[in-house]
Amino acid sequence: MAEIIDGKALAKKMQAAMAEQIVELQVKFGRSPGLAVLMVGDNPASAAYVRGKETACKRVGITSFGKHFPADASQAELELVIDELNQDDRVDGILVQLPLPEHLDAIALINRIHPDKDADGLHPYNMGRLMRGEEGLQSCTPAGVMKLLEAANVAIAGKTAVVIGRSILVGKPLAIMLLQANATVIMAHSRTDDLAAITQKADILVAAVGKPEFISANMVKSGAVVIDVGINRITDYEGNSRLVGDVDFEGVKAIASQITPVPGGVGPMTVTMLLHNTIWSYCRKYGITYS
């Protein structure tokens, strides 16, 4: 039976350390790090994510500069706010909560954020830094996955890692991070032929496909480490809903060596790395190294 990689516990430990560090930084520099989260509309899932981020900020001592806009907010209005936040010395990190209403250009808004305040690590400049192996802000979910692997003492160098999913949010940056950790990386996706033949080669299998319980036990190599990035809400015939990942947890945990649960695995680490990025930007402003 697989060992559970507890993202909730690791996030709690990291956030406790952050809270202690922020107390010291506030005394030294006269202010705490600041994070601005921009949300447009009233998407229930987005609202829940934003509340979670604001609660996490409060827990560690980061000042929130949350800005919520009506669903009909214009591109020009949001660009103006981002410009103002770029110039605001109290703000160290800026995040645009996705998805946005269809009339808005999310890529243009993300690109409008100053690279040094790009708390989500999605600006092309920071993506370029990652590609080149340079220090910089990194995408939160992939960075959280790497922290989980490190905390679980998973050997990465020389291992075969299969990443299912090629999004700019998770799959592509995570593949680069695993390459930099000296894994042999295979990227698979919706057009991959005979996916099971690929996934069965994985010493480390990462599922980020957005399909409930898509990865079954017969797709997983015995003893593999399985990281489930997916989060999906499913409803049974009685109308009861629950959250599940992209992995059939009950089936796969019987043959994997280590596995992340959903919820309580990668999710808490995504928020934690958002906080990490904000503190990193703050420290960089004052010439301090933060890792």
Side-chain angles (χ1 to χ4, degrees):
M1 193 67 68
E3 172 191 346
I4 305 301
I5 301 176
D6 190 342
K8 190 174 181 180
L10 178 58
K12 184 177 181 180
K13 179 181 177 181
M14 290 181 63
Q15 289 181 26
M18 290 175 184
E20 292 181 4
Q21 291 167 319
I22 287 174
V23 169
E24 296 175 3
L25 292 168
Q26 193 168 17
V27 169
K28 188 171 184 179
F29 298 111
R31 72 173 184 91
S32 61
L35 174 65
V37 178
L38 279 60
M39 191 183 94
V40 183
D42 55 1
N43 181 299
S46 292
Y49 289 142
V50 169
R51 284 195 301 271
K53 290 165 183 173
E54 290 174 345
T55 299
C57 283
K58 185 176 181 180
R59 187 160 51 241
V60 303
I62 290 175
T63 303
S64 289
F65 295 90
K67 294 186 178 292
H68 299 176
F69 301 87
D72 60 355
S74 70
Q75 186 83 12
E77 180 182 1
L78 293 170
E79 289 178 353
L80 178 61
V81 170
I82 290 173
D83 290 345
E84 292 172 349
L85 292 170
N86 283 335
Q87 298 300 319
D88 192 334
D89 289 337
R90 302 170 301 166
V91 176
D92 304 285
I94 305 169
L95 178 148
V96 176
Q97 181 65 44
L98 303 176
L100 292 172
E102 291 185 2
H103 72 279
L104 296 172
D105 185 341
I107 293 175
L109 292 175
I110 290 169
N111 292 354
R112 193 94 176 186
I113 297 170
H114 192 287
D116 290 343
K117 294 191 177 188
D118 171 31
D120 233 359
L122 297 178
H123 192 283
Y125 190 82
N126 288 318
M127 286 288 183
R129 282 171 167 168
L130 175 63
M131 180 69 73
R132 292 170 61 91
E134 298 175 356
E135 186 180 46
L137 294 164
Q138 296 186 341
S139 303
C140 298
T141 298
V145 169
M146 297 303 291
K147 288 286 188 184
L148 282 171
L149 292 172
E150 178 185 355
N153 296 312
V154 175
I156 300 176
K159 303 299 182 180
T160 298
V162 174
V163 179
I164 312 173
R166 52 183 168 178
S167 74
I168 199 67
L169 290 172
V170 181
K172 289 176 181 176
L174 180 56
I176 296 169
M177 292 177 192
L178 287 165
L179 277 172
Q180 290 173 350
N182 297 314
T184 298
V185 180
I186 301 172
M187 290 198 72
H189 44 78
S190 60
R191 300 292 183 90
T192 299
D193 288 334
D194 197 358
L195 181 61
I198 301 295
T199 58
Q200 287 164 0
K201 298 177 181 178
D203 301 305
I204 302 167
L205 178 61
V206 182
V209 293
K211 295 183 179 180
E213 301 178 328
F214 178 71
I215 303 299
S216 57
N218 65 356
M219 299 173 71
V220 179
K221 176 182 177 180
S222 178
V225 176
V226 179
I227 305 294
D228 192 348
V229 179
I231 183 163
N232 312 277
R233 185 173 294 278
I234 61 173
T235 305
D236 63 22
Y237 64 94
E238 294 180 339
N240 300 313
S241 66
R242 60 189 177 96
L243 293 176
V244 300
D246 291 348
V247 175
D248 174 13
F249 182 80
E250 293 301 322
V252 171
K253 76 176 183 180
I255 61 171
S257 62
Q258 294 170 283
I259 189 171
T260 58
V262 176
V266 175
M269 290 304 299
T270 297
V271 175
T272 300
M273 296 314 295
L274 174 66
L275 306 179
H276 175 279
N277 280 351
T278 303
I279 301 169
W280 189 93
S281 293
Y282 171 98
C283 289
R284 190 169 188 263
K285 185 179 293 182
Y286 292 108
I288 299 173
T289 300
Y290 179 76
S291 59

